[in-house]
Amino acid sequence: MAQLRIALAQVNPTVGDLAGNRRLVVESARRAAEEGAHLVVMPEMVVTGYPVEDLALRNSFVSASVRATRELAADLESAGLGETPVVAGFLSRREGRSGAGGHSGQPAGAPQNSVAVLHRGRVVLTSAKHHLPNYGVFDEFRNFVPGDTLPVVRVHGVDVALVVCEDLWQEGGPATAARVAGAGLVLSLNGSPYERHKDDVRLDLCQRRAREIGAALAYVNMVGGQDDLVFEGDSLVVDAEGELVARAPQFEEHLLVADLDLPEAHDPGPAAAPDGADGLRIVRHTLSGTPVAPYEPRRNTVTPRPDPLSDTGEVYQALVVGLRDYVVKNGFASVLVAVSGGIDSALVATIAVDAVGADRVHGLLLPSEHSSGHSVADAEDLAKRQGFAARTVAIAPMVTAFERASASADTPLSGLAAENLQARVRGTLLMAVSNQEGHLVLATSNKSESATGYSTLYGDSVGGFAPIKDCWKTLVWDLARWRNAEAERRGQVPPIPENSISKPPSAELRPDQLDSDSLPDYEVLDAVLDAYVGTDKGEAELVFAGFDRDLVRRVIRLVDRAEYKRRQSAPGTKISSRNLSRDRRLPITNRWTV
Amino acid sequence: MAQLRIALAQVNPTVGDLAGNRRLVVESARRAAEEGAHLVVMPEMVVTGYPVEDLALRNSFVSASVRATRELAADLESAGLGETPVVAGFLSRREGRSGAGGHSGQPAGAPQNSVAVLHRGRVVLTSAKHHLPNYGVFDEFRNFVPGDTLPVVRVHGVDVALVVCEDLWQEGGPATAARVAGAGLVLSLNGSPYERHKDDVRLDLCQRRAREIGAALAYVNMVGGQDDLVFEGDSLVVDAEGELVARAPQFEEHLLVADLDLPEAHDPGPAAAPDGADGLRIVRHTLSGTPVAPYEPRRNTVTPRPDPLSDTGEVYQALVVGLRDYVVKNGFASVLVAVSGGIDSALVATIAVDAVGADRVHGLLLPSEHSSGHSVADAEDLAKRQGFAARTVAIAPMVTAFERASASADTPLSGLAAENLQARVRGTLLMAVSNQEGHLVLATSNKSESATGYSTLYGDSVGGFAPIKDCWKTLVWDLARWRNAEAERRGQVPPIPENSISKPPSAELRPDQLDSDSLPDYEVLDAVLDAYVGTDKGEAELVFAGFDRDLVRRVIRLVDRAEYKRRQSAPGTKISSRNLSRDRRLPITNRWTV
């Protein structure tokens, strides 16, 4: 056996910030060296940030990534860190074949989602992701060409195989090749977006693959937000029997250091021929053939997972990180939220305060003639509990001006037109304050509203980011209750007024209006919505699954008819396995109704 | 040689309207039979409409398509049309393998973009598209699994090979297989979206492929709009030497009938073994081995292309059809446009009148205190020339109400905030009238505005459809001039006031404002924009291409910073090779600036 201390750098890169991302790598390597690590592993495409989408098709961007990776190797060497190999993801291109255009069935310039081994000032080995995900939010067949090698690097006498993200999730390919290659350790570099419950699936998968390959497996994932996506970290190490030996926290930057006992490499026999490696060519490179001198290992850290009750807490954390990074990475100094006294805006404001601090959150109270007294009181209470600034602007004068103007043009407004008008006056005020003062406006729409179309386009849906757009209304309540309970547990004032949580939901667009006037109970509605939106089931399958036929028909109709509104909605943090944006791509013009 | 009369049905299917699409096929077959055709060819996925996007992942939808195709064969038989083979595209699934989920690297349920041969009441043969486009607007790796056969059907003694759309564009695969199979005629079923100049490329390609394969080639394409896409038809037939022998008009439903002299099939020798067919299995089916009795062929029709000057006219037609189908297929009775007296809204209103008729177009004049007298006069003139109803609502009272309310909340509006406010008051009025009366609001943004972000989110960008969103400002002027010239050519009143075309462009959001105050001349701007947006060039390459460095930097910065606005914009007809929607997928959070 050979000992090895590895460091998994769970960092937060920014798309396009190649200089900043390089600094992240050097800083991680420095800390890893201080911890005595023999090998440092960074996440997928850490040099460019991830996902880069169509930036991968720009030759200048690919060249910059290749150059930055080369310079990074030199940076590490000049910082005195060159002896410790660093494995990092970057954007590269397939060399030696014609960089044909899209029409030949592959992206122009043959970009690849690659991994590099940096050692003694040089890029000593590169390889590319083999299995390219092209489902859900991923478009990797559009942006990359697949790799066809499995790199195996001998580090201090241990054969270390390198795979990228999806390579681990798919049967065959790199996982099989790593077994054939007789790897003693597999490093998996990831940019794996958060979804509820994915951490359980991830651990199971790593355990299964380690046993299949017969090698220890180190999984490193990035943290932080990138538009709709948030990465949760949860980097971990399992041994060859699949036992969890080290695990990093979720949603925090972290350097996970683990001491491992690994099989010493022997020269590969004829069984390791490329033919046996599921079509992949095994590429070997020796950095150091001799195991490190025996040392006293430290106790590995397994960060405890939250108990089962706090799945909600995990979602809450994801929303905070997703919003914070959208604000910070896009250079906003502050955010603006219309607080109505209702639960959606109360939760969004609370997430915002947790994300960027109360001094960077601004509230607008925009009461109408239909707003109840408790709405204003609840919104004021919310701002006071959390200490963010709030201003009040009554919308009646604008609403009246629009109504008069419309009537004078022989178009008196009534019904839905009058209700939507109020929402749009509020949207216009929000945007005016935003334009004047530079805040990012946060939209307060939840997923139930967005799915059914029960929101006003250019009204309550305005905003540059929609923190809870992937949360069903029932989850919105759960999150609010969880956050208040968490405050109580810590001996703090619950941030959300109880009344905002417990009162019956209402948009207050007409006197005594309640959501339940036009929608079924949210427990029932969300269950049908989740089954329709979250799967590919149609009417018959939903009825077979036990839902009421009339309700199913109504929900399908509502959801399908609101597609045009969703196309114009702001991005927001994905927390489910299927959000209403890139996870679900449906035509607007669509007569299919069952 | 064997004679064959083929009919290419250039029809306009609707996504999801399986019953309506079936009727289209039967009606085409009836007309083809009346014309004495021996073979009828329908476009790609005519049964379901195209593209269906993630509807392909719904089992119930795939099953409905398979069932509808079977019933279609029976419909044809009972209509007395069963003897004439009909080749039609439909959505199917790969049978006989497990319908694994996305994680195995293929879409759930193994859906396929398929072609069926219908004869004597039965589906006698099916096959699936082999080359799946996954670039530009296409996501076919997400939605389909590729086929692995090349079907060759013997019809009246002629071996007819069937390929689907992209199969023809890619080297190798079906095109090679058709040559190996010794086909005498290749049928290509298409859903090929319009792009400027694509008709020239298409003809060249068909000619080249016909020569390579050594067989006549019949290309059938659908017409009509589907969200962002518009299909132009342009169905055509070339002989084995690549000579154009028949061509249908663009943008119109049409049955193109052509008489062909084709080589009589002989039984394939060992050279036609599957191994030689570029990995595809050749599947042969004989419907009738005997050539038709000799008959007097008719003269084939080659619809003349417009002369070189009317590339602009072709774009105009595309915009009319794209808008018309969005309105009609989504069930709107009428449209609403804010007419400002400027060129963008004048062109949009004119396209709308040409698309749905003046009685279904409603104009709103929304002058502000900064609107010049000629603006109102030009807008009124526009409505009068075209005979659509127009109402005037001065926006000052609403603007004043907002300004007072903002000031009273210690947020007096100035600069950009005040300018945007006017645009948003207009947007709110448009939406109010739309909600009250049921019109579809048309956004008037052009591509130059959308690219640079010189439009107001929730202001002039409001609308359910944006007819000119893929047209640079310079093209907007060209289109207006073309439309006026076309009217003059026909002895009609030019629909667009000359003043709207010739005056310097201005958003009139402050006194004496001109676009040229903040933007370079549109000729210069559009050239840089087209080079940056239309290609994957970065700063250095654009400068190398001859553009001024400061201008390039400014344009890149403007375009990149406006990505968040484009995410919230309405769909609109794609006419370029790269629109600002699905053709170009870039992160919002992006620090890459060169």
Side-chain angles (χ1 to χ4, degrees):
Chain A
M1 300 298 274
Q3 285 183 290
L4 207 63
R5 180 170 289 173
I6 63 172
L8 310 186
Q10 181 168 295
V11 293
N12 184 354
T14 300
V15 166
D17 185 8
L18 275 57
N21 296 340
R22 257 164 72 185
R23 285 192 297 271
L24 279 183
V25 179
V26 174
E27 182 50 34
S28 298
R30 188 189 315 276
R31 287 184 44 216
E34 287 164 9
E35 301 269 355
H38 306 113
L39 178 62
V40 184
V41 195
M42 309 294 308
E44 183 175 11
M45 287 189 61
V46 69
V47 171
T48 53
Y50 180 81
V52 298
E53 307 185 46
D54 284 1
L55 285 174
L57 306 179
R58 294 197 195 167
N59 252 312
S60 54
F61 188 65
V62 179
S63 297
S65 167
V66 171
R67 203 165 47 238
T69 306
R70 220 158 37 216
E71 289 166 358
L72 179 54
D75 292 348
L76 290 164
E77 174 78 359
S78 28
L81 302 163
E83 285 302 313
T84 313
V86 174
V87 180
F90 76 121
L91 174 64
S92 181
R93 61 170 68 87
R94 189 170 64 192
E95 301 291 351
R97 307 204 196 174
S98 68
H103 268 210
S104 81
Q106 68 172 52
Q112 294 194 302
N113 181 334
S114 296
V115 55
V117 180
L118 315 179
H119 190 236
R120 295 184 182 163
R122 289 181 49 240
V123 177
V124 295
L125 186 79
T126 68
S127 175
K129 187 174 183 175
H130 176 66
H131 285 303
L132 301 175
N134 205 65
Y135 55 81
V137 297
F138 299 108
D139 284 315
E140 295 209 351
F141 267 95
R142 174 187 180 87
N143 294 132
F144 304 119
V145 299
D148 52 9
T149 60
L150 177 81
V152 179
V153 188
R154 190 161 297 174
V155 182
H156 294 301
V158 177
D159 274 350
V160 180
L162 313 179
V163 303
V164 184
C165 204
E166 188 79 5
D167 287 341
L168 197 68
W169 291 82
Q170 301 281 345
E171 304 294 330
T176 303
R179 182 173 49 70
V180 172
L185 171 65
V186 177
L187 303 181
S188 168
L189 283 69
N190 296 271
S192 175
Y194 174 72
E195 289 174 12
R196 275 177 98 169
H197 313 303
K198 202 179 190 180
D199 54 335
D200 307 329
V201 178
R202 176 183 295 126
L203 176 58
D204 284 353
L205 176 82
C206 289
Q207 293 177 316
R208 185 153 50 86
R209 286 284 183 255
R211 284 190 295 260
E212 286 168 6
I213 300 169
L217 192 154
Y219 176 104
V220 59
N221 190 18
M222 59 182 62
V223 284
Q226 169 61 27
D227 292 351
D228 283 310
L229 304 183
V230 60
F231 298 92
E232 70 174 311
D234 191 29
S235 303
L236 57 88
V237 182
V238 295
D239 66 20
E241 283 73 46
E243 284 300 305
L244 180 65
V245 298
R247 193 170 201 178
Q250 291 166 289
F251 301 110
E252 290 173 22
E253 295 196 77
H254 187 81
L255 188 79
L256 183 70
V257 177
D259 276 318
L260 304 175
D261 276 320
L262 300 166
E264 198 175 332
H266 50 84
D267 279 330
D275 284 352
D278 214 30
L280 294 178
R281 191 162 46 88
I282 296 170
V283 177
R284 294 179 184 274
H285 187 90
T286 297
L287 296 181
S288 47
T290 322
V292 294
Y295 66 90
E296 187 59 37
R298 293 188 298 195
R299 192 196 183 92
N300 292 327
T301 306
V302 176
T303 310
R305 292 296 94 176
D307 63 53
L309 282 179
S310 50
D311 162 48
T312 311
E314 180 186 284
V315 173
Y316 190 87
Q317 257 190 299
L319 299 177
V320 168
V321 173
L323 172 58
R324 179 188 297 141
D325 273 358
Y326 192 87
V327 172
V328 172
K329 292 181 177 179
N330 285 293
F332 287 97
S334 51
V335 301
L336 180 67
V337 195
V339 284
S340 69
I343 186 66
D344 297 320
S345 59
L347 180 64
V348 167
T350 307
I351 292 166
V353 168
D354 287 338
V356 298
D359 55 327
R360 297 171 70 184
V361 175
H362 296 261
L364 265 189
L365 277 70
L366 302 166
S368 77
E369 53 177 341
H370 306 308
S371 296
S372 51
H374 63 75
S375 296
V376 176
D378 293 340
E380 284 170 345
D381 185 13
L382 177 82
K384 199 172 143 217
R385 281 165 185 254
Q386 305 196 31
F388 64 81
R391 276 164 284 186
T392 303
V393 182
I395 65 169
M398 284 74 78
V399 171
T400 305
F402 276 109
E403 285 174 341
R404 279 193 192 138
S406 300
S408 76
D410 295 327
T411 317
L413 303 179
S414 58
L416 189 69
E419 293 182 23
N420 282 343
L421 173 61
Q422 298 170 59
R424 293 198 179 103
V425 165
R426 291 188 172 113
T428 301
L429 276 164
L430 270 174
M431 294 308 295
V433 174
S434 160
N435 283 164
Q436 190 63 42
E437 302 179 351
H439 317 294
L440 170 69
V441 173
L442 302 183
T444 57
S445 302
N446 63 56
K447 193 173 188 176
S448 307
E449 270 176 19
S450 180
T452 55
Y454 273 63
S455 61
T456 302
L457 192 58
Y458 322 127
D460 48 314
S461 69
V462 307
F465 197 77
I468 60 171
K469 82 178 280 196
D470 199 27
C471 302
W472 299 120
K473 183 80 175 193
T474 43
L475 178 59
V476 170
W477 277 305
D478 289 345
L479 288 163
R481 285 195 200 96
W482 177 88
R483 182 63 185 81
N484 272 4
E486 185 66 12
E488 279 174 4
R489 205 177 58 75
R490 297 189 200 166
Q492 297 163 346
V493 179
I496 302 175
E498 185 53 34
N499 200 33
S500 294
I501 302 177
S502 57
K503 68 184 166 188
S506 167
E508 296 196 325
L509 293 171
R510 57 175 186 266
D512 303 322
Q513 181 186 24
L514 290 177
D515 289 11
S516 54
D517 299 345
S518 44
L519 286 172
D521 186 77
Y522 278 111
E523 292 288 341
V524 176
L525 178 67
D526 284 356
V528 184
L529 285 171
D530 193 55
Y532 181 55
V533 167
T535 71
D536 294 299
K537 291 195 171 77
E539 180 186 311
E541 291 151 298
L542 294 171
V543 171
F544 184 76
F547 295 107
D548 174 73
R549 184 177 298 275
D550 288 341
L551 177 61
V552 166
R553 283 193 179 158
R554 189 166 161 222
V555 163
I556 290 179
R557 191 183 165 85
L558 285 171
V559 172
D560 289 358
R561 290 204 155 197
E563 187 58 36
Y564 77 99
K565 290 190 186 179
R566 288 189 289 273
R567 290 293 178 92
Q568 298 192 33
S569 64
T573 306
K574 167 184 161 81
I575 57 108
S576 73
S577 58
R578 184 175 293 174
N579 70 15
L580 291 167
S581 308
R582 295 206 182 168
D583 268 331
R584 187 175 182 274
R585 307 180 192 180
L586 288 167
I588 298 174
T589 304
N590 173 16
R591 299 246 180 107
W592 183 246
T593 56
V594 296
Chain B
M1 298 300 272
Q3 287 183 289
L4 205 63
R5 179 170 289 172
I6 63 172
L8 309 187
Q10 182 168 297
V11 294
N12 183 354
T14 301
V15 166
D17 185 9
L18 276 59
N21 296 341
R22 259 165 70 185
R23 285 192 297 272
L24 280 182
V25 178
V26 174
E27 182 50 34
S28 299
R30 188 189 315 277
R31 288 182 45 216
E34 287 165 9
E35 301 270 354
H38 305 114
L39 178 61
V40 184
V41 196
M42 310 293 310
E44 183 176 12
M45 287 189 61
V46 68
V47 171
T48 53
Y50 180 81
V52 298
E53 306 185 49
D54 284 0
L55 285 174
L57 306 180
R58 293 198 195 167
N59 252 313
S60 54
F61 188 65
V62 179
S63 296
S65 167
V66 171
R67 205 165 46 238
T69 307
R70 223 159 34 217
E71 289 166 359
L72 178 54
D75 291 350
L76 290 163
E77 175 77 359
S78 25
L81 303 162
E83 284 304 313
T84 314
V86 173
V87 179
F90 75 121
L91 174 65
S92 180
R93 61 170 68 85
R94 187 170 65 191
E95 301 290 353
R97 307 202 197 174
S98 68
H103 268 211
S104 83
Q106 66 171 54
Q112 294 193 304
N113 180 335
S114 297
V115 55
V117 179
L118 315 179
H119 191 235
R120 295 184 183 163
R122 289 181 48 240
V123 177
V124 296
L125 186 78
T126 68
S127 175
K129 187 175 185 174
H130 176 67
H131 285 304
L132 301 175
N134 205 65
Y135 55 81
V137 298
F138 299 109
D139 285 313
E140 296 209 352
F141 268 95
R142 175 186 178 88
N143 294 134
F144 303 121
V145 298
D148 52 10
T149 60
L150 177 82
V152 178
V153 187
R154 189 161 296 174
V155 181
H156 295 300
V158 177
D159 275 348
V160 180
L162 313 179
V163 304
V164 183
C165 204
E166 188 79 4
D167 287 341
L168 197 67
W169 292 82
Q170 301 281 344
E171 304 295 330
T176 303
R179 180 174 50 71
V180 172
L185 172 65
V186 177
L187 304 181
S188 168
L189 285 70
N190 296 271
S192 176
Y194 174 71
E195 288 172 13
R196 277 178 98 169
H197 314 303
K198 201 180 189 180
D199 54 335
D200 307 328
V201 179
R202 177 183 294 126
L203 176 59
D204 284 351
L205 177 82
C206 289
Q207 292 177 316
R208 183 154 50 88
R209 287 283 183 256
R211 284 191 293 261
E212 285 168 6
I213 299 170
L217 192 154
Y219 176 104
V220 60
N221 191 17
M222 58 182 64
V223 284
Q226 169 62 26
D227 293 350
D228 283 310
L229 304 182
V230 61
F231 299 93
E232 71 174 310
D234 190 32
S235 302
L236 57 87
V237 183
V238 295
D239 66 20
E241 282 74 46
E243 284 300 307
L244 180 63
V245 299
R247 195 171 200 178
Q250 291 167 287
F251 300 111
E252 290 173 24
E253 294 195 78
H254 188 81
L255 189 78
L256 181 71
V257 178
D259 277 318
L260 304 175
D261 277 321
L262 300 166
E264 198 175 333
H266 49 85
D267 278 329
D275 283 352
D278 213 29
L280 294 178
R281 194 161 44 89
I282 296 171
V283 176
R284 295 179 182 275
H285 186 92
T286 297
L287 296 180
S288 47
T290 323
V292 293
Y295 65 91
E296 188 58 39
R298 296 187 297 195
R299 194 195 181 90
N300 292 328
T301 307
V302 175
T303 310
R305 292 296 93 176
D307 63 53
L309 282 178
S310 52
D311 162 47
T312 311
E314 182 186 284
V315 173
Y316 191 87
Q317 258 191 298
L319 300 177
V320 168
V321 172
L323 172 59
R324 179 190 296 141
D325 273 359
Y326 192 88
V327 172
V328 171
K329 292 181 177 179
N330 285 294
F332 287 98
S334 50
V335 301
L336 180 67
V337 195
V339 284
S340 68
I343 186 65
D344 297 321
S345 60
L347 180 64
V348 168
T350 307
I351 292 166
V353 168
D354 286 340
V356 299
D359 54 327
R360 296 171 71 184
V361 175
H362 297 261
L364 265 189
L365 278 70
L366 302 167
S368 77
E369 53 177 339
H370 307 308
S371 296
S372 52
H374 64 74
S375 295
V376 175
D378 292 341
E380 283 170 345
D381 185 13
L382 178 82
K384 199 172 145 217
R385 281 164 185 254
Q386 305 198 31
F388 64 80
R391 278 164 282 185
T392 303
V393 183
I395 64 169
M398 283 74 78
V399 171
T400 306
F402 276 108
E403 285 174 342
R404 279 193 195 140
S406 299
S408 76
D410 294 327
T411 317
L413 303 180
S414 59
L416 190 68
E419 293 182 22
N420 282 342
L421 173 62
Q422 299 170 57
R424 293 199 179 104
V425 164
R426 290 188 173 113
T428 300
L429 276 164
L430 271 173
M431 293 308 295
V433 173
S434 161
N435 284 164
Q436 189 65 40
E437 301 179 351
H439 318 294
L440 170 70
V441 173
L442 301 183
T444 56
S445 302
N446 63 56
K447 193 173 187 175
S448 307
E449 271 177 16
S450 181
T452 54
Y454 274 62
S455 62
T456 302
L457 192 58
Y458 322 127
D460 48 315
S461 70
V462 308
F465 198 77
I468 59 171
K469 82 176 280 194
D470 199 26
C471 302
W472 299 121
K473 183 82 176 191
T474 44
L475 178 59
V476 169
W477 277 304
D478 288 345
L479 287 163
R481 287 194 199 95
W482 176 89
R483 184 62 185 80
N484 272 5
E486 184 66 12
E488 279 172 5
R489 205 177 57 77
R490 296 188 199 166
Q492 298 164 346
V493 178
I496 301 175
E498 185 53 34
N499 200 33
S500 294
I501 301 177
S502 56
K503 67 183 167 190
S506 167
E508 298 197 324
L509 292 172
R510 56 174 184 265
D512 303 320
Q513 181 186 25
L514 289 177
D515 289 11
S516 53
D517 299 344
S518 45
L519 286 173
D521 187 76
Y522 278 111
E523 292 289 340
V524 176
L525 178 67
D526 284 357
V528 184
L529 285 171
D530 193 54
Y532 181 55
V533 167
T535 71
D536 294 300
K537 291 196 171 79
E539 181 186 312
E541 292 152 297
L542 294 171
V543 172
F544 184 77
F547 295 107
D548 174 74
R549 184 178 297 273
D550 286 341
L551 178 61
V552 165
R553 283 195 180 156
R554 185 164 166 225
V555 163
I556 290 180
R557 192 183 164 85
L558 286 172
V559 171
D560 289 358
R561 287 204 158 197
E563 186 58 35
Y564 78 99
K565 290 190 186 180
R566 290 189 288 274
R567 292 292 179 91
Q568 298 193 34
S569 65
T573 306
K574 168 185 161 79
I575 57 109
S576 74
S577 58
R578 185 175 293 174
N579 70 16
L580 290 167
S581 308
R582 294 206 183 172
D583 268 330
R584 188 175 183 274
R585 307 182 192 178
L586 288 167
I588 297 174
T589 304
N590 174 16
R591 299 249 179 105
W592 183 245
T593 55
V594 295

